[in-house]
Amino acid sequence: MISFIAQRIAKAIVVLLALVVMNFFLIRMAPGDPAVVMAGEAGAGDQLFIAQLREKFGLDKPLPVQLFLYVKGIVGLDLGFSFRQQMPVSKLILDRLPATLLLTGTAFAISLAFGILFGALAARFAGTWADTAITVAALIFYATPLFWVALMAILLFSVALDWLPSFGYETVGAGYTGLAHVLDVAAHLILPATTIGLFFMATYARMTRASMLEVGRLDFVKTARAKGLSDSLIQRRHVLRNALLPVVTLAGLQAGTLVGGAVLTETVFAWPGIGRLMYEALLQRDYNLLLGVFVVCSAMVLAFNLITDLVYRSVDPRIEFAS
Amino acid sequence: MSKRKILMSFAAICMLSTAAMAQGPKAGGVINAVIQPEPPSLMMGLVQNGPTQMVAGNIYEGLLRYSPKLEPLPGLAESWSVSEDGKVYTFKLVKGVTWHDGKPFTSADVLFSIEFLKQTHARARGNLVQLEKVEAPDESTVVFTLKQPFGPFMGIFEVGSLPMIPKHIYEGTDFKTNPANNTPVGTGPFMFKEWQKGSFIRLVKNPSYHVKGKPNLDEIYWHVIPDAAARSVAYETGKVDVLPGGSVENFDVPRLSKLKNTCVTGAGWEFFSPHSWLWLNNRSGPTANKKFRQALMFAIDRNMAKDVVWNGLGKIATGPSGSAIKYYTSAVPKYDYDPAKAKALLKEAGYKGEKVRMLPLPYGETWQRWAEMVRQNLQDVGINVEMIATDVPGWNQKVSEWDYDIAFTYLYQYGDPALGVGRNYVSSQIAKGSPFNNVEGYSNPEIDKLFADGAVAFPDAAREEIYAKAQKILVEDVPVAWMLELQFPTITRCSVKNLITTGIGVNDGFRDAWIEK
C-alpha cells in the first residue's frame, strides 16, 4: 500500500507540473494584462506608468523566461508574489483557504449525509408518495441555478424574516469571542452552506436511490432475504453498503472541486473564500495569484483522487491496489 | 427694556441655543459603508483606483479641498497667494499637523511628495509639467514657481491628485516594495487599523487630528461585498448605512430610495464630473466619416437612456465639457434625437451597411442595458451593429489597441478643461497602449493649438474665450459621441449628516460626517 501511495504521489507531481505549464499559457492567452487593468482602474495612465507596471509585474521579460522563473519558483514551493495586492500569493491563499474549507466542507457533509439518507428512504419506499416527493425535490434543486437559490434564500431568511445574516463571514466589529464567535460564524454559514449543499444533496440522493434499487434486485440480496434476515438489516448491510460505491466515486470527484467550486456562492454571500479570490484574480489578470489558486486547487483534486481510491478499498474490500 | 422683555429674549436665546445644539454635530458612532470593488492597496501615492481614493481619502490629505463650486478651500494649506504674473504660488501650511505616527508634517514633506508623485502618479506628472521649481523657505511655507502661468494650477491639490506622502517613511526606500504600503500613514481624520482581505477595511478616529473637534465619528467600516444585489440587501437589512455612488445597480436606486429613513443625493461629483461618451474610431471604417458620426448623434435617444437606464439621474451632455466644470458653454451646435435626419446624413455619408463593432463597458448591468438601447437606436436608422462582449481587461486592451468602432466609456474631468478634457482630443495624446488618452485618434491642429494656449493663457478671461471656441469646433466635428453627464447617487440613512460637503464627495473623507441619534 505504501508503494502504491508513493507511486501515485510521484505521478501527481508530474501531472501538477504539466498543469502549471498549461495554465501559464492559457492565462496569458486572455486579452489584457495586469498593467493595463491597473491603468484602466486609475482612469489615467501615460506610457511611463504602464511600462513601470509591466516591469514591476515582470511582464517585460520574454515569455519563456517568465515561465522558467515561475516553474523554478513552484518547484521550490514558492507560489510567487501578487504585485497587485502587494503580498506573497501563498499568504493570500492561506488567509482565504480556511473560510472556503469551512464553507464547502460543511456543504459537503450536509449534502452527503442528507443525500444518502433521502436516497435510501426514496429507494426503501420506492413508488410511494415519499419517493415521489424526494425525487421531485431533488430534481428541482438540481435544476435550479445556485445563485438564484442563494438570492431567494437571502430574500426569505434575511430580508423578509430577518433570521439570518445575508453576507460576510462574521459580524464585523462585534468583537465576539469564544462560543459567541462560533455561533456568529455558524449563523453566517447556514445560508451559503445550505445553498451549495442542496445542489449536491440532490445528486447524491438520486444516485443512492438508483443504485440501491439496482443492488436490491441482485441475487445475494434474495439469498439474504431467504435466510430470513430482517428487512432493515438487509437494506443497511447488504444493499446500502454495496450501493455506496458509485456515490463514493461521485463524492470523490466533487470533493476535488470543493476548493474552487464555490465562486458564485462566495460572491453572492460575500464569503471571503478562495473562489472569489480566484475570480477577482482572473478579472484583474493577476497572473501569479490566479496560477497560485490553480496550483492549490489542482493539488487538492489530485489528493482527493488518492483519498477516494483509499476509501474505495475500505468500502469494498474486493478492490485491491494494483501496482 | 422691561424685565419681562429681557426675560423673554433670554428665553429665546436659550431656546435658540438648544435648538442649535440639537442641530450641531454629535461626537461618536460608527459608519458602515460599502466599497466596491476591493481596492488593491490603500497607498494613494502608488495606486489611484476609484475604491482606493474613496477609502484612502480619509487617511491622506491634500494641500487644498474644493467646494461644490470648485473654489479652493483650506486643507493642509491654510492660506495661499498668487503673484501678479500668475507664476508664483505661495502656500502657508497649517501649523502643528502630525502624521498618524506622531511625526510632524512640514514643508519638507510637501517637497518630497512632489518628487514621489512625479515618479508614481501618471496624472500628477501631467499636472506638474509647468512646474519649474518648488521651494520651502521655512517649515510651514511652500513656494511653487511655474515656467509660465498655468490656469488650472489651483485645481491640482485635491487629495487624489496630489496626496501628501510622509517623507520620514519613504525617503531612500524602494517606494513600491516598502512594507509601510500595507499600513498607510497620512495626516487625515482617520487612521488605518485593520484590513481583512475579502471582508472589510477598518479605520479609526485620529485623536490628534489638526482640525479641532473633528472627526466626529469613532470608526468607519468599509465592507467588501462583491455582488450588486447583495449590496442592496446589506443596506435594506440595516447592515450598512452608506452606499457610495455606483455601489448598486441604477435600477435598484428607486426602490432603495423609497425605504424609510433613506436619503439620496447626486451631490459630490462636481469636481470629477464623470462624462460619458462613445469613443468613435476616427481612423477607419464608417466612423472615420464626420457625417456618419453626426448621424450617430442624431440617431441616439439620449433622453430616453437617461430616463430609463439611469432613472432620470444625470444630464444630457452637450459637448466635450461637463456643465459643472470651468469655461463650459452651451453655445454649441445641438444634436436632438432625430432619426430622420440621421438617416439623411447616413445617405450623404455613403454608408452601405458595413458592420460596426460596438464595445459596451463591462461595468455591470446598467452599462449593458445602455449598450443594448443604443444598438436598438442605431439599428432603427439602418446601422449594422455587432456587439462585442469583453471583460474589463479585454475591454481595456481592445480600446487601447484601437480595435473597435464604437466603445462606451466615461472619464473624469477634474474641474478644468486643461486637466480632464483636452487629453481626449489633442493629437499629442494619441498613443497606442493606454486606454485613457486620445483613443479615438482625432487630430486637428487648430484644436491642438487651442488646448495648448488655453492651459497657459492668462488671465482667466482669455481662457474662457479659447475654450468656448474649442468646444464649438469639437461639437461640430463629433470626434466622439457625447452621451450623459453621469450622476452616481449616494444613498445613506438620513441620520448620517454632513457626509458630502465638498465637490469631491465621499472621496474627500468622512471628517465632517456625524450621526444623529
Side-chain angles (χ1 to χ4, degrees), chain A residues 304-315:
Chain A
F304 277 113
N305 267 329
L306 181 58
I307 294 171
T308 312
D309 285 351
L310 296 178
V311 172
Y312 250 54
R313 196 186 132 88
S314 61
V315 174

Side-chain angles (χ1 to χ4, degrees), chain A residues 15-30 63 67 70-71 74 278 282 285-299 302:
Chain A
V15 172
L16 201 57
L17 279 178
L19 280 172
V20 167
V21 175
M22 204 172 79
N23 285 334
F24 181 89
F25 286 111
L26 272 179
I27 294 173
R28 274 166 177 78
M29 276 163 69
L63 208 54
L67 176 66
Y70 189 74
V71 173
I74 294 284
M278 176 171 74
L282 173 68
R285 303 286 191 268
D286 190 341
Y287 294 147
N288 281 352
L289 180 55
L290 188 58
L291 279 171
V293 179
F294 281 169
V295 168
V296 172
C297 289
S298 314
L302 293 169

Side-chain angles (χ1 to χ4, degrees), chain A residues 3-267:
Chain A
S3 77
F4 167 77
I5 296 177
Q7 266 191 11
R8 284 289 300 268
I9 290 178
K11 276 184 199 163
I13 290 174
V14 176
V15 172
L16 201 57
L17 279 178
L19 280 172
V20 167
V21 175
M22 204 172 79
N23 285 334
F24 181 89
F25 286 111
L26 272 179
I27 294 173
R28 274 166 177 78
M29 276 163 69
D33 66 29
V36 173
V37 175
M38 291 202 70
E41 286 172 334
D46 50 9
Q47 300 307 102
L48 179 63
F49 182 70
I50 291 180
Q52 278 175 343
L53 282 174
R54 290 236 163 84
E55 192 195 329
K56 186 168 122 182
F57 286 110
L59 298 173
D60 52 340
K61 299 192 181 74
L63 208 54
V65 177
Q66 290 181 39
L67 176 66
F68 174 75
L69 289 176
Y70 189 74
V71 173
K72 202 174 110 189
I74 294 284
V75 171
L77 293 180
D78 174 12
L79 291 178
F81 196 80
S82 164
F83 292 99
R84 187 187 166 88
Q85 307 229 23
Q86 287 292 321
M87 258 189 216
V89 169
S90 51
K91 179 167 168 29
L92 283 166
I93 293 178
L94 283 179
D95 278 356
R96 298 288 191 97
L97 204 53
T100 291
L101 289 180
L102 178 65
L103 172 63
T104 50
T106 309
F108 188 63
I110 294 176
S111 59
L112 208 54
F114 286 96
I116 292 174
L117 176 69
F118 284 126
L121 283 177
R124 178 75 179 76
F125 299 105
T128 67
W129 65 267
D131 175 30
T132 314
I134 291 173
T135 314
V136 168
L139 201 64
I140 289 175
F141 286 124
Y142 183 72
T144 318
L146 272 181
F147 72 91
W148 191 80
V149 176
L151 286 174
M152 290 303 116
I154 289 176
L155 281 185
L156 181 60
F157 294 105
S158 300
V159 180
L161 298 172
D162 197 17
W163 288 353
L164 293 169
S166 66
F167 75 96
Y169 173 80
E170 58 191 337
T171 307
V172 167
Y176 292 129
T177 51
L179 186 64
H181 180 244
V182 172
L183 289 177
D184 183 44
V185 173
H188 283 81
L189 184 61
I190 293 175
L191 284 184
T194 315
T195 306
I196 307 176
L198 278 175
F199 176 81
F200 288 121
M201 193 197 296
T203 55
Y204 294 138
R206 305 261 315 162
M207 183 69 99
T208 308
R209 177 181 179 277
S211 180
M212 276 185 75
L213 287 178
E214 197 181 312
V215 174
R217 280 195 294 270
L218 296 182
D219 286 346
F220 74 90
V221 178
K222 286 180 192 153
T223 312
R225 211 165 268 141
K227 280 198 299 188
L229 291 179
S230 80
D231 193 46
S232 65
L233 192 71
I234 295 173
Q235 290 292 339
R236 265 185 290 129
R237 192 166 294 166
H238 294 268
V239 181
L240 184 58
R241 184 150 184 182
N242 282 290
L244 278 186
L245 274 180
V247 178
V248 170
T249 314
L250 191 68
L253 283 175
Q254 279 172 356
T257 65
L258 283 183
V259 178
V263 178
L264 273 177
T265 318
E266 286 184 358
T267 303

Side-chain angles (χ1 to χ4, degrees), chain B residues 73-135:
Chain B
L73 304 171
L76 284 171
E78 60 182 10
S79 64
W80 50 89
S81 60
V82 189
S83 67
E84 291 249 317
D85 61 357
K87 278 185 178 170
V88 182
Y89 289 73
T90 308
F91 284 75
K92 284 279 174 205
L93 304 181
V94 178
K95 292 205 177 83
V97 178
T98 54
W99 295 99
H100 292 159
D101 58 7
K103 297 272 188 329
F105 163 80
T106 67
S107 53
D109 289 303
V110 181
L111 300 196
F112 177 75
S113 301
I114 302 281
E115 284 317 304
F116 184 106
L117 296 169
K118 271 189 190 164
Q119 290 179 43
T120 59
H121 192 319
R123 198 151 49 76
R125 188 158 47 231
N127 289 346
L128 293 168
V129 261
Q130 298 296 344
L131 183 66
E132 185 173 287
K133 58 179 178 184
V134 49
E135 297 155 306

Side-chain angles (χ1 to χ4, degrees), chain B residues 188-201:
Chain B
F190 293 90
M191 307 193 291
F192 174 79
K193 180 77 181 175
E194 187 186 6
W195 187 349
Q196 297 264 341
K197 294 255 165 147
S199 292
F200 65 88
I201 299 168

